[in-house]
Amino acid sequence: MKRLFAFLISVFLLASTACANGNSKETISSDKGELSDMKISIQITSDSGNHKLTAILADNSSATAFYQLLKKGPLTVDMHDYGSFEKVGSLGTSLPRNDSQITTKAGDIILYQGNQITIYYDTNSWNFTRLGKVDGVTQAELKKILGKGDVTAVFEILR
């Protein structure tokens, strides 16, 4: 009787796992909480020229809302330097916030106060919402790309 019960439990667990894996559309995410299917491009115009960056958005409702906003078309943001560690500009709209205490790193894309977007080229600690992370550039490269003055950033879905 115990063997039959153990066998039935094993079959039930195996069937439950198979159903869960087979019937849901999974989003592949990295261990950094990023969604691999929510990629964007960022065209930066700065005193160092024109540069195209790519980024992977974070796995949170703020990044999803940002992605939905970009589905309507490219978003141009005029950004200025703040604190010698970030470029910041107004989104022109508010997105849901998922603020938590974090320390930024170069390449982090952050939602600030729900209506401003920042691209970090150095570190800062505060209550922020992470929107994503720029791919494939070092801190030194990002500092050069963002330049010393104001920049224009065009965010759009990577196609």
Side-chain angles (χ1 to χ4, degrees), residues 65-130:
F66 183 58
Y67 191 79
Q68 294 301 318
L69 179 66
L70 297 181
K71 279 186 170 182
K72 297 175 183 176
L75 176 67
T76 302
V77 179
D78 293 322
M79 305 178 88
H80 62 276
D81 200 77
Y82 181 81
S84 298
F85 51 77
E86 69 178 297
K87 298 291 185 182
V88 61
S90 175
L91 283 172
T93 190
S94 291
L95 300 177
R97 295 167 65 169
N98 289 284
D99 292 348
S100 63
Q101 180 67 36
I102 59 174
T103 298
T104 63
K105 295 180 183 171
D108 281 342
I109 302 168
I110 301 292
L111 177 66
Y112 179 64
Q113 294 185 343
N115 62 0
Q116 296 179 61
I117 191 165
T118 63
I119 301 173
Y120 278 82
Y121 57 87
D122 213 330
T123 61
N124 186 27
S125 293
W126 200 257
N127 284 323
F128 297 124
T129 298
R130 188 179 317 276

Side-chain angles (χ1 to χ4, degrees), residues 5-153:
F5 182 73
F7 173 75
L8 290 174
I9 293 294
S10 298
V11 169
F12 174 76
L13 291 174
L14 184 60
S16 297
T17 303
C19 289
N21 288 337
N23 291 336
S24 67
K25 182 181 176 190
E26 285 187 34
T27 302
I28 300 170
S29 61
S30 74
D31 60 354
K32 296 178 184 173
E34 298 165 338
L35 296 177
S36 64
D37 61 344
M38 289 193 347
K39 294 182 180 179
I40 63 170
S41 69
I42 310 165
Q43 182 70 41
I44 302 288
T45 303
S46 68
D47 63 0
S48 68
N50 293 318
H51 308 274
K52 187 169 186 175
L53 304 172
T54 60
I56 298 174
L57 295 183
D59 185 4
N60 61 47
S61 62
S62 304
T64 301
F66 183 58
Y67 191 79
Q68 294 301 318
L69 179 66
L70 297 181
K71 279 186 170 182
K72 297 175 183 176
L75 176 67
T76 302
V77 179
D78 293 322
M79 305 178 88
H80 62 276
D81 200 77
Y82 181 81
S84 298
F85 51 77
E86 69 178 297
K87 298 291 185 182
V88 61
S90 175
L91 283 172
T93 190
S94 291
L95 300 177
R97 295 167 65 169
N98 289 284
D99 292 348
S100 63
Q101 180 67 36
I102 59 174
T103 298
T104 63
K105 295 180 183 171
D108 281 342
I109 302 168
I110 301 292
L111 177 66
Y112 179 64
Q113 294 185 343
N115 62 0
Q116 296 179 61
I117 191 165
T118 63
I119 301 173
Y120 278 82
Y121 57 87
D122 213 330
T123 61
N124 186 27
S125 293
W126 200 257
N127 284 323
F128 297 124
T129 298
R130 188 179 317 276
L131 289 178
K133 179 86 171 161
V134 174
D135 287 338
V137 293
T138 66
Q139 181 178 12
E141 292 168 331
L142 192 56
K143 280 184 178 182
K144 183 177 179 181
I145 289 168
L146 293 173
K148 298 196 182 295
D150 293 347
V151 303
T152 300

